[in-house]
């Protein structure tokens, strides 16, 4: 059993995968279950997870993800999961209108976090990808204009070594009891 902070520290954006090693269906199911159980505003669960593992479609999808020369590593990933944003339920939408917040964006980020942590726990590498040709992704997967493919997760067995995390210090991002202007 890995403790949560150890798991969080070992998750990283993996941008190279073993192209000869597929992702086992049980592991994929585990990752999808972790995403299904994610919290969302008003429990709206405003998502559909489109799993792309068909080799021919994967290649076409990788071409859409390698947008403007970025994210070329997506060609190596044996599985891509597209997080499609659905319309939220009435309460999430009404709450968002009143408070001027688009809750589904936050919801999708949490689902992506669940997926990537579950992938790490299963010994898989992953990367959250937000830069891709949305029009092409819509067309390849038949996503109507009323829905939005917001994020794509690449999944596979990573061939990258573990990297130390580059993060701001706690003292730079945490204050107690009042918001203060940072001195640095
Ligand atoms: C919403 C979002 C979008 C991202 N989009 C991309 C992307 O398009 N391509 C990419 O290589 N990494 C992408 N990343 C990964 C970040 O670059 C990465 O999480 C960050 O640099 C921290 O590194 P780490 O994940 O290895 O800890 C994205 C991450 C998030 C959360």
């Amino acid at each position: 059993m890995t403790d949560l902070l150890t798991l969080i520290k070992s998750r990283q954006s993996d941008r190279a995968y073993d192209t000869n090693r597929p992702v086992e269906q049980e592991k994929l199911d585990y990752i999808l279950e972790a995403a299904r159980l994610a919290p969302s505003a008003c429990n709206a669960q405003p998502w559909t997870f489109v799993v792309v593992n068909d080799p021919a479609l994967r290649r076409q999808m990788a071409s859409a993800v390698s947008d403007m020369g970025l994210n070329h590593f997506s060609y190596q990933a044996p599985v891509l999961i597209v997080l499609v944003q659905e319309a939220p339920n009435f309460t999430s939408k009404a709450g968002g209108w009143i408070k001027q917040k688009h809750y589904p964006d936050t919801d999708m980020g949490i689902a992506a976090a669940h997926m990537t942590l579950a992938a790490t726990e299963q010994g898989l590498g992953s990367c959250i990808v937000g830069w891709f040709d949305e029009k092409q992704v819509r067309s390849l997967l038949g996503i109507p204009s009323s829905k939005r493919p917001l994020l794509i997760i690449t999944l596979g067995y990573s061939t990258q070594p573990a990297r130390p995390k580059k993060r701001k210090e706690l003292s730079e991002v945490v204050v107690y009891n009042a918001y203060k202007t940072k001195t640095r």
Side-chain angles (χ1 to χ4, degrees):
M1 208 44 182
T2 318
D3 72 80
L4 184 58
L5 208 52
T6 303
L7 189 66
I8 288 169
K9 283 178 181 164
S10 49
R11 186 220 51 83
Q12 65 180 17
S13 294
D14 290 303
R15 300 185 177 92
Y17 301 97
D18 184 343
T19 50
N20 295 314
R21 200 166 165 200
V23 172
E24 296 85 345
Q25 188 62 47
E26 311 82 73
K27 294 194 174 187
L28 189 53
D29 291 342
Y30 186 94
I31 291 162
L32 293 165
E33 179 67 351
R36 185 182 75 88
L37 294 171
S40 55
C42 305
N43 204 19
Q45 303 162 67
W47 46 55
T48 298
F49 309 122
V50 183
V51 179
V52 179
N53 58 2
D54 174 79
L57 180 61
R58 240 187 337 102
R59 268 190 299 279
Q60 289 176 293
M61 279 291 292
S63 149
V65 176
S66 304
D67 187 31
M68 296 168 79
L70 295 172
N71 297 328
H72 209 65
F73 63 90
S74 58
Y75 276 99
Q76 297 175 5
V79 176
L80 302 171
I81 304 177
V82 182
L83 281 68
V84 180
Q85 193 171 89
E86 301 288 335
N89 60 17
F90 177 77
T91 40
S92 172
K93 204 180 203 158
W97 184 78
I98 293 164
K99 293 295 176 192
Q100 290 294 294
K101 288 176 189 173
H102 189 58
Y103 293 119
D105 288 346
T106 306
D107 301 337
M108 304 291 276
I110 297 171
H114 276 213
M115 273 190 196
T116 52
L117 285 171
T120 305
E121 202 222 324
Q122 293 297 301
L124 286 159
S126 66
C127 187
I128 301 172
V129 174
W131 177 273
F132 53 85
D133 184 331
E134 199 172 312
K135 204 169 151 210
Q136 220 180 320
V137 168
R138 277 177 191 288
S139 144
L140 285 167
L141 303 179
I143 300 168
S145 56
S146 55
K147 312 285 165 73
R148 186 153 197 219
L150 199 73
L151 295 170
I152 295 178
I153 312 281
T154 57
L155 271 184
Y157 283 92
S158 173
T159 55
Q160 292 197 303
R163 295 186 300 271
K165 288 262 168 279
K166 283 190 203 157
R167 296 292 191 266
K168 293 177 184 175
E169 293 300 324
L170 260 192
S171 58
E172 294 178 84
V173 296
V174 178
V175 288
Y176 283 81
N177 302 316
Y179 181 86
K180 297 173 194 128
T181 308
K182 295 192 188 100
T183 47
R184 60 178 86 209

